[in-house]
């Protein structure tokens, strides 16, 4: 996977367009002057957490003695489940905050931006090519930057696309992510069988 393919994959997993309604719902009871500050703060928190997992995730896997094929298969399954949720979204507001309560780390930074699937994808990238950390850092920074712009201008995107447009975009991104997830799963299974056959 090249740098920009990784960036696109991470952007699809972050799903900023799909998260727009949640962000707007969580922040609607906050004063308008305060909203931008909170959003920027949560975005920076998320970026720090994402980079932490990118650079330390491999150490955790080494400590647990987890093989690359396992990470690839698990990553593919996780991405597939996330993609299904994007295509068939559940109803309800997952924020869990009281009216007027200011979000801090949860739920905007974690799990809306730095979710389990994004963290798993970063660990997978670092595990597959630990010598390309600069490329993965660029991919992460690019996907986060585009997501940040979309979320910071959420009102504009919401007006342009509308509710139906946001749903359509999220389902389209979900379909693309399904293909990426299946390819990742197949790569992991193929690599596992080649490794097992070579051991015999």
């Amino acid at each position: 996977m090249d740098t920009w393919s990784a960036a696109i994959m991470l952007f699809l997993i972050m799903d900023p367009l799909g998260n727009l309604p949640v962000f707007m719902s969580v922040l609607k009871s906050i004063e308008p002057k305060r909203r931008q500050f909170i959003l920027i703060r949560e975005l920076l928190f998320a970026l720090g957490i994402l980079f932490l997992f990118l650079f330390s995730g491999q150490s955790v896997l080494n400590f647990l003695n987890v093989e690359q094929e396992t990470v690839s298969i698990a990553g593919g399954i996780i991405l597939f489940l996330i993609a299904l949720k994007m295509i068939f979204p559940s109803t309800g507001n997952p924020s869990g905050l009281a009216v007027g309560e200011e979000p801090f780390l949860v739920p905007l930074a974690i799990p809306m931006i730095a979710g389990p699937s994004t963290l798993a994808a970063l660990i997978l990238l670092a595990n597959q090519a630990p010598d390309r950390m600069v490329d993965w850092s660029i991919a992460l920074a690019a996907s986060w930057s585009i997501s940040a712009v979309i979320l910071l201008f959420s009102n504009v995107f919401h007006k342009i696309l509308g509710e139906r447009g946001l749903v359509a975009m999220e389902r389209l991104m979900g379909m693309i992510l399904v293909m990426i997830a299946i390819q990742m799963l197949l790569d992991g299974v193929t690599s596992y069988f080649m490794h097992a056959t070579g051991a015999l």
Side-chain angles (χ1 to χ4, degrees):
M1 184 177 289
D2 61 33
T3 305
W4 299 115
S5 296
I8 292 170
M9 181 187 73
L10 291 172
F11 172 76
L12 292 173
I13 299 169
M14 288 181 189
D15 189 23
L17 289 172
N19 288 334
L20 272 185
V22 178
F23 272 76
M24 295 179 72
S25 175
V26 171
L27 297 174
K28 69 180 179 181
S29 59
I30 308 294
E31 294 181 14
K33 293 181 180 178
R34 184 79 177 153
R35 286 177 195 168
Q36 289 292 91
F37 170 78
I38 293 173
L39 193 48
I40 292 171
R41 182 191 68 197
E42 298 301 302
L43 284 164
L44 291 175
F45 277 150
L47 183 64
I49 293 164
L50 290 167
F51 269 108
L52 178 66
F53 267 78
L54 178 63
F55 283 94
S56 65
Q58 182 60 43
S59 300
V60 174
L61 292 178
N62 290 339
F63 176 76
L64 297 173
N65 197 27
V66 176
E67 298 293 334
Q68 178 179 331
E69 294 85 357
T70 306
V71 178
S72 183
I73 294 170
I77 294 171
I78 291 172
L79 293 187
F80 183 76
L81 293 174
I82 293 296
L84 286 181
K85 287 183 180 180
M86 290 169 67
I87 298 171
F88 306 105
S90 58
T91 57
N93 182 5
S95 66
L97 293 174
V99 177
E101 185 180 352
E102 186 175 299
F104 186 79
L105 278 178
V106 178
L108 299 186
I110 306 170
M112 301 310 295
I113 304 170
S117 52
T118 312
L119 300 177
L122 290 172
I123 293 175
L124 176 67
L125 290 173
N127 180 267
Q128 286 183 332
D131 57 326
R132 296 180 59 196
M133 296 304 289
V134 174
D135 292 340
W136 307 145
S137 298
I138 293 171
L140 173 56
S143 59
W144 176 87
S145 299
I146 298 170
S147 298
V149 169
I150 290 172
L151 293 172
L152 287 170
F153 293 94
S154 56
N155 290 330
V156 177
F157 281 96
H158 192 267
K159 288 177 182 177
I160 293 172
L161 295 173
E163 290 292 342
R164 290 180 179 273
L166 288 174
V167 170
M169 287 296 295
E170 182 177 20
R171 290 181 179 176
L172 176 61
M173 290 192 290
M175 288 297 296
I176 297 171
L177 195 56
V178 163
M179 292 183 283
I180 294 174
I182 291 174
Q183 185 61 56
M184 189 181 295
L185 183 62
L186 291 174
D187 289 345
V189 172
T190 303
S191 179
Y192 172 79
F193 279 111
M194 289 179 65
H195 184 76
T197 304
L200 294 174

